[in-house]
Structure formats: structure tokens, C-alpha cells
Amino acid sequence: MTIKLGVDVGGTFTDVLLLTASGETFRTKVLSTPHDQSIGVMNGIEELRRELQAKGRALKFDMLNHGTTAATNAILEGKGARVALLVTEGYRDILQIRRCQVPGGLAGWIVWPKPKPLAPLEMTIEVPGRISTQGHELQAFNEAVLRERLHRLRIHDPEAITISLINSFSNPAHELLARDIVRQEFPDIPTSISYEVLPELMEYERTITTVADAYVKPQLDKYLRRLQHHLGDDVTLRVLRSDGGLSTVDLACANPVNMLMSGPSGGVAGVISLVAKRTDFKNLICCDMGGTSTDVSIVQNGTPRIRRETHIGDLVVKSPSIDIHTVGAGGGSIAHVPEITKALRVGPESAGAIPGPACYPHGGVRPTVTDANAVLGYLPFGLLDGSFPLDINAARMAVQSVADALGLSIMDAAEGILRITNENMLGALRVVSVESGHDPRDFALVMFGGAGPLHGCALGKLLHSKVVIVPPSPGVLCAFGDASTSLRHEMSSTFIRRLSTVELSEVLQVFKALKDKVCNILESQGIPATSQVCMYEADLRYSGQSLNLPISFNISELSAAGLSYLQDQFTASHKFQFTFALDLPIEIVNVRVKCEELNSYTVMPQLESGTGTPSQAALVGSTRIYLDGETYENVKLWKREGLKAGDSLDGPCIITEMDSNTLVHPNYRAEVDGIGNILLWPTLDVESASPLISSGIDEPLDTITVDIVESALASARAEMDVLITKCAMSPGIREQRDEFPMIANAAGLMMAGQFGSFVPEFLKSWTGTIDEGDIFLTNDPYAVSGAISHLNDILVIVPVFSDGECIAWTANFGVGHVSDISGAVPGSLGIHNKDIYSDGLQIPPTKIYERGVENKAVLNICYRNTRLPHYLRTDIHALIAACTTAGARMVELYKRFGKNVYHRSFDTLLERNRRAVGNLIKTEIPSEGTSLIQESAGHQMMGRAVVHGKSLAADDDQGVTKLHFDFSGTDPQADTSINFLLSPTMWKMFVIVFDPSIVVNDGAHDLIDVHIPEGTLLSPIRPAPLSCRTHALGRVMDVLAALFGIRNPAFLCAAGFSDSPHVYYSGYNDEGEYFLMYQISTGGIPARPIGDGPDGHSLWPSMQSVPCEYLELYFPLVIEKYQLVEDSGGAGFFRGGNGIRMHYRFLAHGEVALHDDRWLTKPWGRSRRVLIKKSGERLVCGAKAQGIMVEPGDMLCWETWGGGGKGNPLERDPGLVALEVERQLVTWKAARESYGVVFLNEGHGERLLIDTVETATLRKKLSAAREYRLSHIQAREGPEGELFNRGGDIASLVEACEVETGLTPPTLPSLRTQRRPVAKTFRPAGIGRDS
């Protein structure tokens, strides 16, 4: 039988474990060698050889199974290959634009450092030719043009070449032709095509996955071949895949993207081998706590959950991996107390291996989780059986800094660090369990990793696990998993068919073709067909939904039961995960076959049976520990190697071993099973035994408990986000992430969310009853004081009850942008509307559930009054599911801490926010006040919006100052739909979120006064229309960013925040089905204090674009171009981001509406819209236009604006300017005229050369002209006159408007005679603001 060696390479240690034919294991740890992991591997083998020789045994093995981070590190460290990329013509910027997404909160775009593309733009080549989503050739492949363009690559000396063409998943013909040509032109360079790496829908995901595959391929190939050479030909080397299976060296080098999570997946494989396969525990939650982070995952019925994507830093690729959720909570996580909030935080920053925790030899000085464990007495022997001593005094000094900041004893501070760490891990454990529909009480919690077993009992209590399991050698479990798993390979393909129309025979034929391919590959790797087993899977979804649910099945069951079997499985899965299912068409999206080697069962030796009482030989001493606020003396220390099967140990005690320590809490019993697993059983009910449970009477409230409640609120809010975006159908919710859930306290004050609470206003206006089981819905902005701002925003409100008392509110605050809510135009965002009645269906606050009973009549009215009833039905169900789920979390929190601590913690969090915002006002807002005028041009013109931000004298006995905003001077409300009903509550939250260190809640509302004159653009009087409020919203954000930036350089960005431009296309397709496409785009982000503005990205948090292939699949059009607009970003020392160019070729008769902006002002790049008719006629379209009738063959050419530049462009590095000319982000003309850079050559097939003499001369000339211009502006407008360069005043821009843009200039609302109310209309009782 094969003798296997498992080797796992981590950041600090390399673990080596020998698994013999009889099941014996021998293990060791050595330091890793990051510069060449193979050296550490061989060192580990030699160390294990020496240790075995000392025992009189020889090290013999014939297979080495290896978990490696070689591929991962290549990406994280930016040390992969130089990759050239071939893309479809018109899509050269696919990696630059990504999905337009910027992570973080509302001000995240100011500080986010955009990662560099793995394949740079200068090495990106466009391939002529086009395939449709149906696989038809729309434009012929042009070999001659491609060969000519490939010549430009030679100067860049690529090490790998990737080909990823639009819609290649449906027909790879052009990719195959391109590969043939590339191999002829570059015969010695590895080439990969997306059809072979990921033949699935979604162009960016397919491209980045293929590029990542090519990026790591040379490095992984070199490393594995070198390691195989060291091992010799007598040892078979296999590599762990991200999904927990093994791969041969040849397959790993051919598909390296499948190895990106090779390391972490080994631990789950070890859990399956040691626990799931050998005990009665089949449902397991895995928690691997290492030095930097904790990885959690779930095993159900002995099988790990697999997801179809892998996350590496900022990179997300579509490759199968065990569904591992990572949180920045490890032994090295650093504890700190921010000055502004005085709240304890732990992680995600880590001390790493260097310098390491303070208690390490040559460690750091900042307190870590390991230091807290050491101070509390949980690490009495140090690490690695005492061979790695710890400096306890250094740990105490580090933790004392936290104690001093919080006013706690050192022991309570250390325990607080662990409690916060445990809470962070609990959030991750909930993600893989509760948020996926699983009750953790039905699962055993498995703790491993070097630090994991110390936290097992604490997490078991918090998660209410029936038992906590610590497997043998938990610190090297990944190496055991490597040794004990088997060879695996899989293949997939996009196969989009509705279950109602596809034939079963066609589905079975597709699966058979995949099975034959994958089985042949395994057979070529030496695995005969008789030793293979196949598994089948299909990704299903409701037609038009973005969420794919993988459904596993037996092919014989599908053959026998038919396609209804898949439908039933999908419906059950959707209801299980998201609480609801719908009567909508279901479609197959992807099909997949996995083939695995039949693994011979490894016999594990049984431990010698004991008497139940541990032998005294296993007792190695005693110590003192501090736990749950108490000191325990004479706590026994047990050596794990001396324990026998059946031994039972009562807590508190510590079980030590070479690679980890297990802390057994009081009220827990440790029991050793037959193969050496430690089972930690609670001896009392977990809830009654938990020190966190409060009786609700006179319970002391400490800061750590408050921090834990805060963390639990954040986790519940994040769970709402995930559920909504996975289930909703409207692109505004699903892709734009136009949903901001909120959790409020019993009084309606927001505790977790983003834009504040409207609940108090709702409570003032609602005159009916509020009972348990009630759910409210509205979309009426005037009824909730602007909490929602136009009718497309659906608002769901849920009161949360426990024991008959309302304890909280959950809601989808102000958003949930549905695709259509009736109204005069498709999409409900009418441009020429004269009143809100034209905007669409108005739903005043209404109960859609009363005491748990659905009000079907009201909901049917909603569904009847939309052009997309299936979208609206799904969206509302998603919002309800998210709110009720968060409500359940609040009930759990209430019962966990008790009534008194629950409510007092909420009050403390509100006061903490108030204190932090008060400090922000004192330190960041000038007392002399600041004014800014923001002017906009569109269908209507916002005109002047003058805002004063002031910090006034103290207004209470604690010296708290207030911030006043005044929108006096804003133009009157418009007589069409550009009005924006700005909620003062929302504006206050806009202010707060600009400081990311402040936790957002409603505690500071009384510190901010907002005056918005009624009857203006920002406070219109009903029935003023609101459907196009997006554009005014963008201007409001411009004002806020500028106000903070004027006085705080950390926030001072260039001009151009603006809004989210979008296009509608509606009509009937060839099958007679109605369609309504809603695509949201973006412009360029303005230059920031940290550097250039990202090209083609969104400033709104987490918004992402809809894949072009998705749009082409579901709507009758072809998107011929999706690329950046060169020079649209403003010039500066830091360049503004470029806008996006989109060309839509329409394939059906329909109606188009445009919602655009930034078409008049400059210098940050004007937007442009031209409709080219099939006849060749060119029509310039307005920025805001509707009712544009199109026919097959017409093409809309749309360019969005760029962001403003920052600083002097004549001081920008000429080399960077040259590079951006090569990348086609800046033109030759702009390089010369804006940046003063002159070139010696044209750069065709060679590097651009800078004429340094001419550049210096030109820059000197341009600088003189610039200084002259600035002096005149400053003389006219003062020293800050050029702070925001608007490219000229409004008068001059209006005068040149028609010549420069082809459109007539707009008129200020203040200069027009308008039809609008001049006083409030009658308000019926019990509705809200202005009904």
C-alpha cells in the first residue's frame, strides 16, 4: 500500500506529516522558506527523517501530497508572469474597468488603492471578429490584422499569453484561430484560452480567471518541477486543489488557477478524514485559527460545501474551491483602542511572523491575541512543546496599553481582547451556517490550527454547538488532509436552457460529453476507469436572476425522474437558503461533471482504551488561569499523548501537545474518542452556563460587552446585504447594490446601517396598530420625509418583538431600486413628468402582513401596476426575507444578553457615536464657515446650491459644538422631475460616513442642524415629480465632498463626483415577450489625495456593472464597444479617471431613454450621446432624453464623463505620461498640450522615447501661461479661485454650448416661469409629510 507524506507550507511554518499504510502518523514543523518553498519542504523531510532515526525507524514514502501557497503568493506579492492579453475588439479595457466596483463605504473611493491589472494595458491586443451569445459569427475573424497587431507585443517580452473573447463560452472558434496564430508568432510562450479554463458566461470573470491562470502558471510549473527533481523519480508528487481534491503535477501546471486555495483546503480535507469518515459526526463546522486569520467552512453529510469562486486579496476568480470564509482574527491579530471612539478593536492588522506577537523572541510591542492568551495563563509551556519559549512580561506590557486605554485591569483587558476576537470569529461562523440556512445546533464545531483549540469552548458556547471537537495534531491538520485525500478533476460548460422548453435527452447528452472528457483526462494521468467515480451538478436560477444555485444529483435519478427532479431540488434549495420560492420559470445556466479517484480507506489505529480516568503519567503540572472574570488556581496540565480512549477530564484544565493547546472551560468535559479526537461536551445547558447571559437585573455593563453587541449588529446587517443582493432581480438592487438595510432600536433610532433611520417619522404619522408579525411597505417619499427619494425605491419596515415587547426595527432603508413601478415611461423614471402621479404607483405606508397573515390584495395591486411583475415580486420577497432574518438575529441578541444589557448597550453605542461625531466637528469643521456653489446642467439645471458648514459655540454643559448646514440659495423646485427630496436625516449620515473610524448610528443627530428651504430643488412640495432625483443627489455629494475637502486636505479631491448614468431599452423580442433593460454605467473617479482617479469606476459604495454578455443573452442587442474614453479624465499631477464608451447595436424595435450628466461643464470630460441610424443618419441626443425610437441596426454611441485632475499636470512624471499614451488612456495631443511631454518617435512597435530637451522647453512655456492664468483668477476670485477648475464660468460655457456639444444650452430654474405649488397642500391625517 502507498505510504504518503503530507506537506503544508504556511507563512511561518512548514508542516510535514507521514501517514503509513497502517495509519500511523509522525509529524514535524520547520520554518518556511518563502523565497523557495521547496527548500523548506526538503528541510522538513530531513527533520522528520532525523526524528524517526532517533526512534530507530527509517523514513520511507512513495507519494508526497502537497498543499502549497506558491500560486497564491505569486498573486499577493505581484510576482507572476508578464501576461499579454488578447480580447475582442472594443473591449481592450476589460481588466482596467473590472466591474466598476469600489469596495468600502460612501467615502471609500477617496482612499481605495486600485490594484494593478494582472495583464497591463500596453500588453493588451484587440482581436477583430465577433461571436454572439447564441454562438453565431457576427463579424468575421481577421487573421491579417491580428498578426499585424501582435508585432507590438514583442517589445514587451511576454512570458505568457491569454486569449479571452466575448461570448467564447458559446463558440470558441475565434479563440482557437487566435491561439493558432499566437503559437506561430510566439512558439515558445505558453498560451491559454478562456474556453478551456472557464467556458462560462460573464466576460470579466472569465477573462480575469484565465489571466490569473496564465499569471501563476510559469511560477507554479517551475516550483513543482524543481520540487519533483529534489524528490526524485521514485516519489509521486501531487498537489492539493482549492476544492480539497488532489491533482497531478501535469494537471496542476495545466490548470494552476485551481490551486489558489491549495493551503487552506487541506484542513477541511483533514477534518473529513479524521471526523466525518470515522465518527458519527457528519455535519461539521470547521474553524481553522492560525497566526494571521481564521478560516471557517461547513461540512454537511460528510461533504464540504464548494463555491464556484476563489478570493485572493482583491482578486476574485471563478474556480472551484471549498467555501471558506476568512476573517482577520488570528493569533497575531493586533488589539487597539481608537482615540475617537475608545472602543476596543482586534484585527484585521496582524503582527505576522515578523516581528510577531510581543511575547515572541524578538517580537513586536503591540498587543496581539497570542499575548492575551499568554497573559491569561493559557500558554504555560510556550509553543512547540516548550522549544519556542514566550516572554510573558513582554506580553503583559503590551496588553497593559489596552488596559490603560479602557480603564480596566490587565486581566480584564486581556479577556476583552479574546472576547472581541471570538465575536469576530462568530460572525464568520454565522456566515457559513446561519446565513446559509443551517442551524449550528445541528452541527459539531471542529477547532484546529495552532490557536484554534484555545478558543473552542468559548465559540461552542456562543454558537450553541452540541459538541466541540479537537482532532489529533490540530496544528498540522492541513498536512494530514493533504496526505489523506484523493485525485480529482472537473469540467464545466455554460448551457442556458429553460427547464420548461429543453428536452431531457439534450441535457443528458451534454453531461455525457463532459463526463467522457473529464474521465479521459484522469485516465491519461494513470487512473483507470474502474477506479473513478463521477458526480454531476447543474447551476440553476429563476430566469433573469443573477444568483446561481448549484444542484448536485445522481445521473440515474435525473434519467428516471426527468427535469422535474431538478426543478424540485432547486425550489427546495432556494426556499431553504432564502426562506421563499416563486412560481417563475427556472433555467439551467452551467453544467458540471467532477471525476474523483476511488480512495482506499486509510485505517487509523485505535487508541489504547483507558479506564475513564487519565493516567497520572499524563499529568505534567498545574498552572493558574484567569477565565470569565475569575482566577482559577491549580489548573491541571495534561499531555495529550498520554491520554487514552475513553479518558474524561473536567474543566478547567489545559491539554498540551507539540502543535497546539486545548483550553477546557469550567462546565465542559473533555472526552477522548477511539482515534484520539477530543470531544468537548458542555456539562450544563450552554446558554445557562454562559457568562454573557444576563438576567436583566442590575447587570454591570462593561465596554467589552458593548463592543460585542456592536459586532453582532454589524454581522446582522451584513447578512441582510447578502440575502437581498443574492435574491433580488432588479439590476438596481442586484448589481448597483442600491439597497441599504438598517437595524434600529425600539425607539426607531438606527443602530446599524448607512443613511439613518426614518422610523421615528413613520411612528409619528402611523395611526394604526403595530403588532408582532406586521410588515409595512411604502414607496411614497413624501410620506416618510424623504427616507426614500423616488417611487422606484421600495421600503419594507418590520417591527421586531420578543416576549410581547417591541425590541427593534429592521428595514430596507430608502432603497431597493426596483426596475419598474408603473408611470408614464418604461422604468418609471420619466424625464418630462410634471407631477408625481406621472412618476408611477404611490403606495402609502401599508401593512402587507398583519400579525403574520399576508395581505395578498395589496401586493396584487403592486404587481398589477408594473411592467415587470416577476421582478417586483422577487424584489419584495427578498427585502422581506432580509428584514425578518435580521429580526431573528435581534431576538437572539436580546435573549443572549437579557433585556437590561441589550437596551443599555444600544444606548451606549448611540452615545459613543455622539461623542465621536462631536470630536469630528471640533477638529475638522472650521468655525468661520465654508460656502460652496455647485452648478449642474441637464434637462433642468440645479443652479446655485450654497451650503454653509459651521462649528458654533458650545451649546450644552459638556461643551459639545454643533454643525450647521444651510441650503439657502438653492434654486426653486423644478417643474419637471429633477427634484430631490433630501432627508435631513440622510444628509446627517452623509456627513458622518466621511470618517470611516466612526461607527454609523443615529446617536449624533442632535449635533447637526440642516436647513433646507421648502419649495426648493432639495425640498420640493408635493406633488412635485421626483423620478430623476439621481442627478441632484450627485450634486449634493459634490457639495459635501468639497466642503470637507476645502478645510481637510485628506478629503480634498478634484471635481466630478456626479451620479450614476443609465440607459433604458424596452420593447418586445421576436418571441413576443416584453423586455426592459436597465443598465447603469459610471464615469471616471476624480483624482484624490492618494493619487490618480480610477478609470471607469463607480463612486457609490459596492456598485458594479452588469456583464455585457448577460445583457446580450437576455435582451435583443449587441454591445460592440465597452472601453475607456481617452483624455476624458482631467489632466493633473494626479490624473482624473477616464469615462466609459459604450456602443449598443439594437436588434429589435424599441424605445430608449437616457439619464446622463456632465455634458456641459469641463475640464473633466463631457459626456456625449449619438444615435447612428441604420441609414447612416447621426442624431445628437440630449443628456436626459426619453421616447427615442430605435429599430434593428441602429447604434447608440454613449460616452460618459471623466473625473477631474488634481495638481499641476506639468509636474507629472513624463515617463508615466508616455506609458499612459501607450495604454491609450492619454492621447499624443494631450501629452503635449496638457502635460508638456514631447516624444522622439511614434511608438509603433517600439517604446516611446521622450525628448527631454523639448519637453523641458515646452513645460517652461506652458508653466508661464498657467501662472498668468492663475494670477488673473485669483485676482478676481481670491486665493482659492482655482481650487476647483470648472473649465470656465457658466456664462461662457452656455455661450459656446451649441457649437461645442450640438445641443441648446439649459436654462436655470430660477430664470423660468414654472408651474408649481406655492404652499403646502392639504395633509390627510395619519399618512406623513405631504400627501
Side-chain angles (χ1 to χ4, degrees), residues 1232-1253:
R1232 184 180 184 93
E1233 296 179 0
S1234 299
Y1235 295 97
V1237 177
V1238 182
F1239 302 113
L1240 289 168
N1241 60 338
E1242 295 184 354
H1244 298 307
E1246 57 182 352
R1247 296 278 188 183
L1248 275 175
L1249 301 177
I1250 299 169
D1251 188 329
T1252 55
V1253 175

Side-chain angles (χ1 to χ4, degrees), residues 218-284:
Q219 281 74 5
L220 186 66
D221 185 285
K222 186 184 303 182
Y223 167 68
L224 293 178
R225 306 294 180 190
R226 183 169 59 245
L227 179 57
Q228 181 70 76
H229 175 74
H230 290 325
L231 294 170
D233 295 336
D234 294 336
V235 176
T236 300
L237 175 61
R238 289 181 172 181
V239 187
L240 195 70
R241 293 163 48 98
S242 300
D243 61 6
L246 287 169
S247 178
T248 65
V249 170
D250 288 341
L251 283 177
C253 293
N255 304 279
V257 75
N258 292 329
M259 315 298 146
L260 290 177
M261 291 293 283
S262 171
S265 62
V268 181
V271 168
I272 292 171
S273 182
L274 278 174
V275 181
K277 290 184 177 179
R278 289 175 171 83
T279 73
D280 293 332
F281 300 106
K282 307 300 180 185
N283 293 333
L284 309 167

Side-chain angles (χ1 to χ4, degrees), residues 43 272 313 339-340 353 511 537 550 552-553 555 656 705 779 807 885 934 979 1094 1116 1140 1177-1178:
N43 289 344
I272 292 171
E339 183 64 32
I340 196 168
F511 275 110
E537 191 173 88
S552 300
F553 57 92
I555 197 71
T656 72
T705 298
N779 75 333
I807 63 166
T885 297
Q934 173 57 240
N979 300 296
I1140 298 178
E1177 180 185 6
R1178 299 172 65 90

Side-chain angles (χ1 to χ4, degrees), residues 82-118:
R82 290 189 303 277
V83 180
L85 173 62
L86 274 63
V87 298
T88 299
E89 201 166 57
Y91 284 81
R92 68 180 312 273
D93 301 301
I94 188 168
L95 295 187
Q96 191 81 358
I97 298 173
R98 304 181 353 143
R99 291 281 298 279
C100 302
Q101 187 175 21
V102 173
L106 195 59
W109 61 273
I110 298 177
V111 297
W112 176 62
K114 181 185 174 185
K116 295 180 180 179
L118 296 183

Side-chain angles (χ1 to χ4, degrees), residues 36 94 100-101 141 249 387 445 509 514 706 838 888 894 993 1080:
D36 184 351
I94 188 168
C100 302
Q101 187 175 21
F141 181 85
V249 170
S387 64
L445 175 63
Q509 184 179 359
L514 281 177
V706 176
S838 302
Y894 182 84
V993 297
I1080 306 157

Side-chain angles (χ1 to χ4, degrees), residues 285-324:
I285 298 175
C286 308
C287 186
D288 178 3
M289 186 179 183
T292 302
S293 60
T294 295
D295 298 324
V296 301
S297 57
I298 196 165
V299 173
Q300 191 172 22
N301 297 322
T303 303
R305 187 166 64 202
I306 303 296
R307 65 181 177 188
R308 310 315 305 175
E309 59 185 26
T310 300
H311 296 247
I312 303 294
D314 285 327
L315 182 70
V316 181
V317 298
K318 293 289 290 292
S319 66
S321 65
I322 292 176
D323 188 3
I324 294 174

